[in-house]
Amino acid sequence: MGEADGDVKTLNGELGAKWQLLWLSMDKANPPMSHIDHQEPNKLQGSKKLNVNDSQSNGENEPITKPKDLETRGEQNVENVFPITIILPHDPYKIQVPIAAQGQVQDLRSSIVEQPGTFQYTCFRLEHNGQRINDFVELSEVKGLAAGSEIRLVEDPYTEREARIHVMRIREIIDAAGDRVDALHGIHAGLSLHETVSPWTGSDPGSAAKQKSANSKLTASANPLADFSFDGPPSIQTLLPPTQESTPRIIKALCVSPWNPPPPSFRQRGHLLYLQLTTNEGEQFQITSHISGFFVNRSSNSKFDPLPKSSPKNAMAHSLLTLIQSLSPSFSGSFDALLEANNRRDPLATFQLASALPSNPWMVPATASSATAHQPDLTRTQETYLLSGVENTETLRDWNEEIQSTRELPRETVQDRVFRERLIAKIFAEFNDAAARGAVLVARGEVAPLNPTESKDAQIFVYNNIFYSFGADGVGTFTSEGGDEAARVAVGKDVAGVKLVNQLDIPGLATPGTIIVDYLGKRLVAQSIVPGIFKQREPDEPQVDYGGVEGKDVVAENSAFVPTFSQVSKALKVKKHPVWDKEGKKHILEASVETKGLLGTDGRKYILDLYRLTPLDISWLDPYWSDSSCHGSKPQDRNYPHRMSVLRPELIDACWRVKMGEYVKDELDKRKNGQDKEATAKILEAPGHALGEAEDAKVNGTSGAEANESEATKDRGRVDISAFSFLLNPDVFCGQSPQTAEDIEEWSNDEREVRAVTDHLHQKIIPELIHDLKEGEVGFPMDGQSLSRLMHKRGINIRYVGKLASLTATGSPRLQALKALAEQEMIARAFKHLANRYLKNLPTAMATSCLAHLLNCLLGFRLNNSPRPQVDEDLQYFYRDANYSFAEVTPKSLQAEIQAQTQLRYRYTLEDSWSSSIRQAQMLREIALKLGLQLVAKDYQFTPPSESRSDNANHMTSSSNMQPLMNGHSTNGMGGKKKKKQQRNGGDSPPASINGLAILEPPLTFVADDIANIVPVVKDSSSKSVLAEEALEAGRISMMQNQKELGQELLLESLSLHEQIYGILHPEVARVYHQLAMLYYNLDEKDAAVELAHKAVVISERTLGIDSDETILSYLNLSLFEHANHNTAVALASMRHALELWKIIYGSTHPDCITTFNNAAVMLQHLKLFHESRLWFEKSHDISEQMSGKDSVNTATLAFQLAQALALDQDHKGAVNRMREAYSIFHHKLGADDRNTKEADSWLDQLTVNAVSIAKHAKDIQAQKIRRALFTPRVTLRTQPQAPVGRSTAEGMGGHGRQASGGLDERSIDELMKYIESSGDATKKTPTKKRRNPRSRRT
C-alpha cells in the first residue's frame, strides 16, 4: 500500500499505547495464573482431576517459566494472593489453600474439593468467625478475610440432589464409572498420543542427566529416525493409542439398589437413596443414603429393611468414600495404586474438556480390541436418574435467558470483562454441547416434531429448551434462490453471521445461541428459543419488527432498532441504503433486507437471519447462475445450484485496508504538495537570506523542500481518517427496483463498488495467494482443512478452489502440488454432497451399508470394479419407504456424478484419469472428517496385491515395518468361518458353487462393519474473547516495534486471559501456547519454550485432532525446541511422529518438508551420525530440485549444505561436485561479486585441495595422520521453526524469525583452520550473525 503503512503503524501504535495503560490497570486487577480456577468445577471428574490440582499446587501447570528480568511482574501479582487455612472435620484436619482477593467463593470450594486430602467432601458449608459464608459472593466481600485467616469446613445435611451428585463423584474418583456410550463424543474423543511419543519430564532436577544419557544411546541403528522410509506407505499405527496397563480395580460394582427409591414412610425419616456395593472381596452391602450420611442397612436382595445394620460396627460415614474404605480391606491399597497410576500420566491428557468439544479421531481401534471393549456397568443406565432426578427436570435450562443475561453483565473494569467473558465462553460451550446432543436425537428420529402433519423438511422440534429445524427449504422460502441447496447454504452463512455479530459484542443487541449440525446426511439448525418468536400477532401486524417480513415484498421499520443495527453495519462495512417493497414504497434500512429485527417479549432487541451480511458475488453469479423461472430449464453453463454466493467478510476487510491506504496516501500527498508550495513562497519572499539557506542546504545534500518533507514525515501517521468511508450495499443485484433517477444513480454506484471488490478478488487476492505459495513465502497447506482455512483467511470462497486449480495447472512443481491438493478437496467435497443426498432419506441402520458401498465405488474399484452393496433385506422390509438408490451406484456412475458435481460447484473439469490418480489414504481421511466417520483401523487394500507392491504410497499399513498387507474383505466370510446370521444381497453368505466347486466373490475394500461410528460435525457461533485477543495483538505489535519487555508482558497477560476465560483445554489456548513457545525460543528461553510447546501439542491433539495440520506443526517445533534444549532423543521422536502424520494427511513429499528434513539432518549431525545426516540432506536437496528446479538459489543453498555433509561423511569427491554445483548456480543467478558466490568459491577451493591431497597421499600416510591433516569443514547449520500454513516463519515467531537454515558458513578460512586445530566440538557457537541468502526460500 506504499505510504499507507504509516497509517497502519499509527493505528498499531494507538493500540499498543492503549494496552500499555490497560496493562497497568490489569497489574492490580488480575491474580496470577496459577491461582485462578481455569476450569469450571466438574462434579463428575474424580481422581483424574485431583491429580491435576495436585500438580497445580506444585506449580507444574504454571503456563511458563518467566525469565529472571520479568520476576518483578510476578511479585506484584503475588500481592493479590494470600494463603488461608481450612479447618477440616476429619484427617488431615487442616490444609493451606492460596486464594485471590478477586476470586469467588465458588472457586475456593472447587479448590478444596480437588485437593488430594479433601476430595471426599461435596456437601458442606464454609464458616468464617462463626458466620456462614455465602457461596455466591466474591472473597473480597467476606469480612475480615486476610492472609492466615481460618475458614472452617462444616459438613451439611444431604438432600436427594446432593446425595446423587455425591454418588456420581465417588464413582468417578474410584474409577468405577466404566466406559460411557456417548451420542455426541465418538470413540476415543479427546485422545492425546503425546505421552507415548515425546514424554515430558518437566523441571525434574535429574532430567538433564537423563537427557544426556538418552542422547548417548542413540546410534546409527538405534535412533527414532533409523528405519524411517521416505517413500513408504503411511502407517495407521501412528494414529492409534498404545495398549495401556489396566488401572487397579477398587470395587466390583456400585449402583442404585433395586429397593430405590425410599417409600414415603422412610423418606419422612430422612432416607434419600438406596445403593448396592460389591467389594473386591466379593461381599455385597446394601447402603442407605441418609440426610446425615451413608450407612450399611439390613436389606438383602430378597428382604427390605433399610435401618442401620449392627455389624460391622461404625459402618456409617458422612462420605460414601470413607464408608467404602471401612468395608473393604483392599480398598486403601488399590486406591493408592490408582492415584499413583493417574499421577504418572500428563494431567492435560486426562483432564476433562469443559470449554470445547473434543476432537474425534477418524481412525479408531477395532471394536473387539481391549481399547474399545464394552464393559458391563449397571449404573450406566442409572446415570440419567443420578444426574437429573426422577422427573429429569434438573438439567432443563432456559438457554436464551442464560446467554442474554450473561452478555448483559457489567464490563466497566478489566476484572468485570474477564469475569463476563469467562461466563460467556462457559455458557456457549455448554449450549453447544447440549444442542449438538439434541440434534443427533432429532436426526435419528427420536424426538417428536411440533408439527407432525407438515412435510419432513418443514418439521420443527423443541428438545431440552432448544429449537431445531432442518437446513432445507421446507416452506418454499428459498424457491427462487435455489431451494434446498440455497437453504442449506443459508443456515451455514447464518451461523457465520451470528458469530461475527457476537464478536462485535454490541450492547443492547441480542443474538440467539446458534449452531448447525451435519449428521447422517441431514443439516440441522439448533437455536435457543427467542421469547415471542412463536407468538401469533394481529393480522395487520408484521411478524418481525425490522427488515423484510416476507422476503422483500413486505418491509418493516422500527426506529428503536436503528442505533444498534447502525453499529453492526458500520463495523461490517454495510451501507445504509433504501429498499422498496412490492408496492414500491421506499424504506431506509441499516442492514440487508433479509436481516431481521425482533423485539422479544423479554424486551430485548434480537437480530436474526444473518446469512446476507455482505453483498452477493456478482462475478460468480453473472456467468454461472440463472433463474429457472425465467429461463425454464437452466442452460448447462449457468446451472449453479443456488444464488446464496456472497462475498466473505475477510475480502471486505482487505478491500477496506487497500482503500484506507489509498486515502492516507492521497492525504499525505496533498499535505506534501501544500508544504512544498509554502516553502517555495517563503523563498521567493526572502531571496537573499532564504536563498543563501537554500544554497547551504544544497551543499549539505538536502533542499528546502526535502527539509520540509522530513518534517512532514514526522506527522505522516497523523492523518485524520474520520472523513474516510468504505461501505457496501448488501442488497444490490437482489431484484430491488429503484424508483427515482437519483435512486437509480445511487444504486448504480453501489453496484460499481461491489464489482470493484470482486475485481480486487480476481486481480489481486487470488494471484497474490498463488504467488506466495509458489515462492514459498508462506507455509504450504497440508490438507483440505488447511487449504480451506488459508483461502478463507485471504477472503477467497471455497467455490474458487476450481479456479485455484486451473491457474496452477501449468505452473512450477509447487503449484502442481497445490493443484493436486485442490483437486483432492473438490473430489472430497463432491463425494460429501453425493453421500448426503443418499443418506438423507435412509434409516440410521442402513447408513453404514450406504457409506461402505460408496467408498468401495470411489476408492476400492481397482480391487473390485463391481462392488455389491450390503443391504439387509429384513431391514429393507421394515423401511419400505426409504430411498435405496445408493444400491444402484457403480464405480463408473459415481465417477461421472463426482465429475458433474465438480463442474457444477467449482467450474472445474477433472481429467479423465482422475480416479486412478487419487491418493487413497489421504482421500479416505478427507471424506471421513467431512462426514464424521470413525473407521476401524486396519490395512485397507485399495488395489490387487500385484499393484500394491508397486504402489505402496497409496496404501496404509498397520505393521511397524510398513509393508503393505493383503486385507480385502471377501464376501464369503472371514477366514473361511460362517457367521450365524448370513447377510443378504452381497453380505457374508455361503459361497456359490458349480458342481460342488466354490466360487469366491471378489473381495471388498470396505464393509459396513468397518465404519465403527458416525459422529456429528458441528459448527458453532461462539466468539473469541475480545479482551484476550486485544492483549495478544498489542503484544505482537510491541514485539514488532522492538519493545520486547512490554511485548513479553502483554503476551503473558494475554495467555493469562486466555486461560482464565477459556480454560486450559481450548484451541485458542493451544495457539497462544504455540506462539509464546516460538517467542521464548527466539529469546533463548529454551526451558520455557519446551514447556509451552509440550502443552501446545497436548491441547492441539485433544481439541483439534491428533493428525491436524496445527498438531503436526506443534510437534515439529517441539522437536526443534527439545533439540535446542539438548534433548535430541525426544526431539527425534517428536519429529518421527510428525513425519508419519504428514504421510497420512498429505504424502511423502510435501513442499515444506525441506525445512523438516534439514532439521533432522542437523540433529543427526549433532549426534555425530554423519552418514545418516547425509541421507536426510540428500533427500532435502532432491525435493528442492523437484519443487524449485535444479538452477534455483534454494537448490544451490541446499547443495552447499549437502557438500558440507558429504565432507563430514568422508565423501570428498561428492563434496567437491556438490560445492561446484552450488558455486555455478550462485555465480549464474547472483553474480560473481555476491557474498554467497565468493564463499562457495572459497569452500570449493579448500575441498578440492583436500580431495587432491587425499588421493595423492592415500597409500603413503597412515589413516590417523590423514585425519589430523585433513580439512574438516564445520557444519554450522541451525534448525529452524516450521512456517505455519499461510504464514511466513517470521510471522510465526512474532516478527522476529531466526535466520534460515539455508544460510552459508560466513567465517573466513583462517577461522575455519583455527576451528580444525581445536577440539572440533560441533556444538560450539560462532559469534558472527548469519546472513540469509537473497531471494532464498525460508527453508
Side-chain angles (χ1 to χ4, degrees):
M1 293 187 297
E3 294 183 357
D5 293 338
D7 178 72
V8 176
K9 291 179 181 178
T10 303
L11 296 176
N12 291 342
E14 292 175 356
L15 180 60
K18 167 189 173 185
W19 259 96
Q20 290 181 31
L21 297 176
L22 184 58
W23 170 69
L24 293 176
S25 65
M26 291 169 65
D27 194 29
K28 296 182 179 181
N30 282 345
M33 291 169 281
S34 60
H35 304 293
I36 294 294
D37 177 26
H38 303 307
Q39 204 82 4
E40 288 299 315
N42 190 328
K43 296 178 180 178
L44 307 183
Q45 185 55 40
S47 59
K48 296 181 181 179
K49 190 172 181 180
L50 301 175
N51 296 329
V52 175
N53 273 279
D54 189 23
S55 63
Q56 283 180 340
S57 64
N58 296 328
E60 184 179 329
N61 264 1
E62 182 70 22
I64 61 167
T65 305
K66 297 182 181 179
K68 293 182 180 180
D69 59 348
L70 300 181
E71 290 180 354
T72 304
R73 174 75 178 92
E75 293 172 359
Q76 295 172 352
N77 269 337
V78 169
E79 296 176 0
N80 294 320
V81 178
F82 52 88
I84 61 173
T85 302
I86 307 296
I87 306 299
L88 305 173
H90 307 291
D91 186 56
Y93 299 108
K94 185 183 295 186
I95 61 171
Q96 294 282 332
V97 177
I99 64 171
Q102 291 79 19
Q104 304 287 318
V105 175
Q106 285 288 348
D107 298 336
L108 175 58
R109 290 180 62 94
S110 299
S111 299
I112 293 173
V113 301
E114 293 163 358
Q115 293 291 330
T118 56
F119 46 64
Q120 69 269 28
Y121 299 106
T122 62
C123 184
F124 61 89
R125 67 179 183 272
L126 299 176
E127 294 182 353
H128 179 57
N129 294 333
Q131 299 294 321
R132 179 167 184 159
I133 300 175
N134 190 325
D135 293 337
F136 303 98
V137 299
E138 290 188 3
L139 291 168
S140 58
E141 299 180 29
V142 180
K143 294 182 180 180
L145 188 62
S149 296
E150 291 187 352
I151 290 181
R152 183 172 298 277
L153 186 151
V154 181
E155 295 174 336
D156 267 349
Y158 286 97
T159 63
E160 183 193 336
R161 178 176 179 275
E162 290 287 352
R164 288 188 279 104
I165 290 174
H166 184 81
V167 172
M168 290 294 293
R169 176 170 173 78
I170 297 304
R171 277 174 48 83
E172 291 287 344
I173 289 177
I174 63 179
D175 203 23
D179 61 312
R180 288 194 176 95
V181 179
D182 198 304
L184 175 61
H185 303 156
I187 303 170
H188 285 313
L191 174 66
S192 173
L193 302 175
H194 170 265
E195 292 178 287
T196 59
V197 174
S198 53
W200 181 48
T201 57
S203 55
D204 182 4
S207 60
K210 294 179 182 178
Q211 292 170 4
K212 186 174 181 180
S213 174
N215 291 344
S216 64
K217 295 178 181 178
L218 299 179
T219 63
S221 59
N223 69 79
L225 299 180
D227 60 344
F228 181 78
S229 173
F230 292 108
D231 301 318
S235 172
I236 60 175
Q237 290 297 327
T238 309
L239 301 175
L240 301 181
T243 303
Q244 298 195 2
E245 299 179 4
S246 59
T247 56
R249 193 169 185 179
I250 312 301
I251 61 174
K252 288 187 176 180
L254 175 63
C255 59
V256 177
S257 170
W259 299 112
N260 193 71
S265 59
F266 285 99
R267 182 172 293 278
Q268 297 295 330
R269 300 167 66 175
H271 291 205
L272 305 174
L273 300 172
Y274 297 136
L275 308 174
Q276 182 173 294
L277 167 70
T278 305
T279 66
N280 279 344
E281 291 78 14
E283 294 187 82
Q284 188 178 88
F285 297 93
Q286 298 286 337
I287 296 175
T288 297
S289 171
H290 191 262
I291 56 175
S292 62
F294 297 82
F295 60 81
V296 178
N297 62 38
R298 304 172 185 172
S299 297
S300 64
N301 290 333
S302 57
K303 176 185 176 183
F304 176 67
D305 186 358
L307 297 179
K309 191 174 184 179
S310 58
S311 177
K313 295 182 179 180
N314 301 323
M316 179 176 181
H318 189 268
S319 172
L320 180 60
L321 185 69
T322 306
L323 178 62
I324 297 175
Q325 186 174 7
S326 66
L327 297 175
S328 175
S330 64
F331 178 87
S332 296
S334 301
F335 188 55
D336 292 341
L338 174 65
L339 292 179
E340 183 180 353
N342 287 335
N343 278 324
R344 288 195 296 267
R345 298 203 60 191
D346 187 343
L348 289 179
T350 58
F351 206 73
Q352 183 173 346
L353 278 78
S355 57
L357 294 176
S359 66
N360 295 298
W362 64 278
M363 191 74 75
V364 295
T367 54
S369 66
S370 59
T372 58
H374 195 52
Q375 302 295 335
D377 182 16
L378 181 61
T379 315
R380 189 187 298 121
T381 61
Q382 303 169 346
E383 283 188 349
T384 302
Y385 159 70
L386 290 172
L387 289 171
S388 308
V390 176
E391 303 297 332
N392 195 26
T393 57
E394 294 181 13
T395 57
L396 291 179
R397 302 165 63 176
D398 189 343
W399 293 106
N400 190 74
E401 181 60 31
E402 288 191 43
I403 291 172
Q404 308 311 331
S405 59
T406 302
R407 297 182 63 184
E408 291 168 356
L409 290 172
R411 60 178 87 182
E412 283 73 21
T413 66
V414 174
Q415 188 61 25
D416 286 342
R417 294 180 66 184
V418 172
F419 181 71
R420 174 179 175 271
E421 293 191 3
R422 176 180 173 183
L423 288 184
I424 289 175
K426 177 178 180 292
I427 187 64
F428 270 108
E430 293 171 350
F431 171 79
N432 295 340
D433 185 90
R437 292 180 187 277
V440 170
L441 296 178
V442 172
R444 290 177 175 175
E446 298 177 14
V447 179
L450 298 180
N451 53 343
T453 59
E454 301 285 343
S455 65
K456 189 172 183 179
D457 288 343
Q459 289 176 350
I460 57 177
F461 308 82
V462 172
Y463 180 80
N464 197 10
N465 280 343
I466 299 174
F467 173 73
Y468 294 93
S469 60
F470 289 106
D473 192 23
V475 294
T477 304
F478 297 95
T479 301
S480 62
E481 307 290 331
D484 287 346
E485 286 278 0
R488 185 182 182 91
V489 174
V491 296
K493 299 293 183 184
D494 183 41
V495 169
V498 173
K499 189 168 189 173
L500 272 177
V501 174
N502 286 343
Q503 192 67 45
L504 298 177
D505 200 12
I506 296 173
L509 187 64
T511 57
T514 309
I515 69 167
I516 57 174
V517 178
D518 292 327
Y519 185 66
L520 296 177
K522 307 172 184 68
R523 170 162 287 188
L524 290 109
V525 188
Q527 293 179 305
S528 60
I529 301 175
V530 176
I533 196 169
F534 296 123
K535 178 183 177 182
Q536 291 296 327
R537 302 194 180 191
E538 297 297 328
D540 58 342
E541 186 180 3
Q543 287 297 112
V544 298
D545 298 286
Y546 190 80
V549 181
E550 300 173 3
K552 58 180 182 291
D553 293 339
V554 179
V555 181
E557 292 185 78
N558 190 326
S559 59
F561 285 85
V562 172
T564 52
F565 270 53
S566 62
Q567 295 182 58
V568 175
S569 299
K570 183 178 179 180
L572 299 179
K573 288 83 177 175
V574 175
K575 180 181 179 180
K576 184 177 181 179
H577 60 281
V579 296
W580 294 264
D581 58 22
K582 62 181 179 180
E583 297 177 356
K585 183 179 178 181
K586 183 177 180 179
H587 304 268
I588 304 298
L589 296 181
E590 294 286 346
S592 167
V593 69
E594 303 291 349
T595 302
K596 301 172 178 58
L598 176 69
L599 186 63
T601 55
D602 57 356
R604 298 185 177 99
K605 301 181 185 69
Y606 291 88
I607 183 171
L608 307 172
D609 292 349
L610 300 174
Y611 52 82
R612 261 235 330 262
L613 291 176
T614 56
L616 293 175
D617 185 0
I618 194 62
S619 67
W620 181 270
L621 294 176
D622 266 354
Y624 303 135
W625 161 264
S626 65
D627 191 348
S628 58
S629 62
C630 298
H631 300 85
S633 61
K634 292 186 177 184
Q636 186 67 25
D637 58 341
R638 301 187 64 188
N639 60 344
Y640 194 65
H642 61 82
R643 200 174 185 271
M644 299 303 299
S645 303
V646 297
L647 300 174
R648 290 196 64 83
E650 296 89 345
L651 175 63
I652 309 298
D653 291 339
C655 291
W656 179 88
R657 288 191 295 269
V658 171
K659 294 293 184 181
M660 168 66 81
E662 294 174 353
Y663 175 82
V664 172
K665 185 177 184 300
D666 291 342
E667 291 297 313
L668 292 174
D669 289 342
K670 291 177 183 178
R671 183 181 301 176
K672 176 182 176 182
N673 294 335
Q675 289 173 343
D676 288 346
K677 291 179 180 178
E678 183 180 350
T680 303
K682 289 181 178 180
I683 292 174
L684 295 176
E685 290 174 3
H689 181 68
L691 188 58
E693 290 182 345
E695 292 296 330
D696 291 340
K698 288 182 179 180
V699 172
N700 294 328
T702 60
S703 65
E706 290 173 345
N708 285 316
E709 182 180 357
S710 64
E711 291 296 326
T713 303
K714 295 180 181 180
D715 296 331
R716 66 184 307 173
R718 300 180 181 272
V719 176
D720 182 12
I721 61 174
S722 60
F724 172 75
S725 177
F726 177 75
L727 303 174
L728 299 176
N729 184 345
D731 286 326
V732 293
F733 309 113
C734 292
Q736 292 291 330
S737 302
Q739 302 297 313
T740 65
E742 182 181 355
D743 291 336
I744 293 174
E745 182 180 359
E746 179 185 1
W747 210 257
S748 298
N749 292 333
D750 291 345
E751 290 180 347
R752 281 195 294 271
E753 290 181 355
V754 172
R755 289 188 183 275
V757 173
T758 60
D759 291 342
H760 181 72
L761 170 66
H762 292 276
Q763 298 171 10
K764 188 75 173 176
I765 300 295
I766 295 178
E768 278 186 353
L769 173 62
I770 294 175
H771 174 269
D772 290 346
L773 292 173
K774 176 184 177 182
E775 299 299 325
E777 296 297 329
V778 296
F780 199 89
M782 301 182 189
D783 61 352
Q785 287 184 328
S786 56
L787 175 62
S788 302
R789 191 167 60 248
L790 173 59
M791 293 177 64
H792 289 166
K793 186 178 180 180
R794 297 287 185 107
I796 306 172
N797 297 86
I798 200 65
R799 59 179 169 269
Y800 286 107
V801 68
K803 181 172 184 178
L804 211 62
S806 299
L807 294 175
T808 57
T810 57
S812 65
R814 285 181 66 87
L815 295 185
Q816 291 293 312
L818 179 62
K819 174 195 171 188
L821 191 58
E823 287 184 344
Q824 176 178 288
E825 179 68 4
M826 286 186 283
I827 295 170
R829 286 176 176 267
F831 181 89
K832 179 191 72 172
H833 287 291
L834 294 173
N836 285 336
R837 189 176 74 193
Y838 291 119
L839 287 171
K840 184 176 180 180
N841 297 314
L842 268 184
T844 304
M846 304 296 292
T848 55
S849 298
C850 171
L851 289 168
H853 179 63
L854 295 178
L855 288 173
N856 282 325
C857 292
L858 176 66
L859 301 177
F861 70 94
R862 288 200 287 180
L863 181 67
N864 184 343
N865 60 7
S866 299
R868 297 177 59 192
Q870 297 174 298
V871 179
D872 192 317
E873 292 181 358
D874 291 340
L875 293 178
Q876 197 170 4
Y877 173 79
F878 282 110
Y879 296 102
R880 283 170 287 184
D881 296 335
N883 185 350
Y884 296 96
S885 57
F886 77 90
E888 302 172 4
V889 176
T890 64
K892 288 186 177 180
S893 67
L894 181 63
Q895 292 168 13
E897 285 188 291
I898 288 177
Q899 282 182 297
Q901 286 290 317
T902 305
Q903 176 64 34
L904 175 68
R905 298 179 182 277
Y906 310 109
R907 300 296 150 172
Y908 184 78
T909 303
L910 293 170
E911 298 176 0
D912 294 337
S913 60
W914 68 268
S915 58
S916 300
S917 59
I918 287 178
R919 295 180 293 185
Q920 285 95 342
Q922 289 73 36
M923 182 63 71
L924 179 60
R925 175 182 178 272
E926 293 288 350
I927 291 172
L929 292 178
K930 286 176 171 55
L931 293 174
L933 308 184
Q934 290 191 295
L935 302 169
V936 173
K938 59 171 62 174
D939 302 321
Y940 290 103
Q941 188 73 24
F942 301 106
T943 58
S946 58
E947 295 183 30
S948 300
R949 288 188 288 270
S950 60
D951 194 18
N952 287 345
N954 281 333
H955 292 79
M956 298 186 69
T957 71
S958 60
S959 55
S960 57
N961 60 3
M962 294 185 294
Q963 294 298 320
L965 305 175
M966 175 62 185
N967 79 93
H969 298 274
S970 177
T971 57
N972 68 332
M974 299 295 291
K977 295 182 180 180
K978 297 181 181 180
K979 296 183 178 180
K980 292 184 179 179
K981 181 177 180 179
Q982 304 297 339
Q983 291 185 334
R984 300 165 176 82
N985 197 7
D988 290 343
S989 58
S993 62
I994 298 178
N995 295 328
L997 298 177
I999 301 176
L1000 297 179
E1001 296 183 7
L1004 296 174
T1005 303
F1006 301 94
V1007 295
D1009 289 343
D1010 288 336
I1011 301 175
N1013 190 26
I1014 303 177
V1015 295
V1017 179
V1018 180
K1019 298 179 183 178
D1020 62 63
S1021 59
S1022 306
S1023 59
K1024 294 182 180 180
S1025 165
V1026 177
L1027 187 64
E1029 290 298 317
E1030 285 179 354
L1032 182 61
E1033 185 63 23
R1036 289 173 180 164
I1037 292 169
S1038 299
M1039 294 300 295
M1040 289 189 292
Q1041 294 175 346
N1042 207 28
Q1043 301 178 26
K1044 291 186 177 180
E1045 184 174 352
L1046 175 62
Q1048 291 177 57
E1049 290 297 336
L1050 290 173
L1051 291 172
L1052 289 177
E1053 290 297 343
S1054 173
L1055 176 58
S1056 174
L1057 291 170
H1058 275 85
E1059 290 182 326
Q1060 293 179 60
I1061 291 169
Y1062 295 116
I1064 297 178
L1065 294 175
H1066 194 278
E1068 295 301 324
V1069 178
R1071 295 180 180 112
V1072 175
Y1073 279 149
H1074 180 79
Q1075 294 178 29
L1076 279 180
M1078 299 287 286
L1079 169 68
Y1080 278 99
Y1081 172 75
N1082 194 39
L1083 296 175
D1084 286 331
E1085 293 288 340
K1086 298 173 183 176
D1087 290 336
V1090 167
E1091 181 178 350
L1092 286 169
H1094 276 281
K1095 293 182 177 181
V1097 165
V1098 177
I1099 301 172
S1100 295
E1101 283 184 321
R1102 301 198 64 196
T1103 59
L1104 299 171
I1106 56 175
D1107 60 348
S1108 73
D1109 62 293
E1110 294 183 62
T1111 300
I1112 293 175
L1113 181 63
S1114 296
Y1115 265 114
L1116 291 174
N1117 286 332
L1118 171 62
S1119 70
L1120 170 69
F1121 304 155
E1122 285 284 15
H1123 171 69
N1125 208 28
H1126 311 295
N1127 193 3
T1128 307
V1130 173
L1132 292 177
S1134 299
M1135 180 170 290
R1136 170 66 181 264
H1137 184 69
L1139 290 172
E1140 295 289 359
L1141 291 176
W1142 217 336
K1143 278 187 181 181
I1144 292 173
I1145 76 169
Y1146 180 85
S1148 57
T1149 55
H1150 188 273
D1152 283 351
C1153 65
I1154 297 173
T1155 301
T1156 304
F1157 289 174
N1158 275 6
N1159 289 346
V1162 173
M1163 293 178 190
L1164 291 170
Q1165 279 188 349
H1166 175 79
L1167 299 173
K1168 302 188 185 303
L1169 302 177
F1170 298 125
H1171 180 71
E1172 289 69 26
S1173 172
R1174 161 190 177 170
L1175 300 178
W1176 287 84
F1177 273 125
E1178 287 176 341
K1179 186 62 177 179
S1180 177
H1181 179 264
D1182 293 343
I1183 297 176
S1184 180
E1185 285 187 339
Q1186 297 174 19
M1187 295 296 170
S1188 303
K1190 294 185 177 181
D1191 297 331
S1192 68
V1193 175
N1194 294 332
T1195 303
T1197 304
L1198 292 169
F1200 187 99
Q1201 299 172 3
L1202 179 57
Q1204 294 176 322
L1206 292 171
L1208 287 174
D1209 197 29
Q1210 303 301 317
D1211 185 356
H1212 303 283
K1213 182 179 179 180
V1216 171
N1217 292 334
R1218 289 300 184 185
M1219 191 60 70
R1220 183 178 293 112
E1221 174 188 326
Y1223 169 75
S1224 300
I1225 298 174
F1226 283 145
H1227 187 276
H1228 176 69
K1229 294 287 187 179
L1230 305 178
D1233 296 331
D1234 185 82
R1235 186 174 182 180
N1236 293 322
T1237 307
K1238 293 179 179 180
E1239 289 180 4
D1241 188 29
S1242 298
W1243 277 85
L1244 180 60
D1245 291 342
Q1246 291 294 323
L1247 290 173
T1248 303
V1249 170
N1250 195 35
V1252 171
S1253 176
I1254 292 173
K1256 184 177 181 180
H1257 300 92
K1259 297 182 180 181
D1260 302 329
I1261 303 177
Q1262 296 179 359
Q1264 183 65 27
K1265 293 183 179 180
I1266 290 178
R1267 282 196 294 271
R1268 292 179 179 175
L1270 289 182
F1271 172 72
T1272 307
R1274 163 86 186 276
V1275 177
T1276 58
L1277 303 177
R1278 290 188 297 184
T1279 53
Q1280 183 209 4
Q1282 193 78 30
V1285 175
R1287 296 168 58 192
S1288 64
T1289 305
E1291 289 176 325
M1293 301 189 69
H1296 293 272
R1298 293 191 170 202
Q1299 299 297 328
S1301 63
L1304 306 184
D1305 196 320
E1306 296 185 355
R1307 295 173 299 168
S1308 65
I1309 300 300
D1310 292 337
E1311 291 173 330
L1312 290 170
M1313 294 307 297
K1314 289 180 182 179
Y1315 166 75
I1316 297 167
E1317 294 170 358
S1318 66
S1319 61
D1321 184 5
T1323 63
K1324 293 182 180 179
K1325 296 182 179 179
T1326 57
T1328 56
K1329 296 183 69 176
K1330 297 174 75 175
R1331 173 178 169 273
R1332 186 183 168 186
N1333 293 333
R1335 298 180 58 194
S1336 68
R1337 190 174 67 82
R1338 290 172 172 82
T1339 55

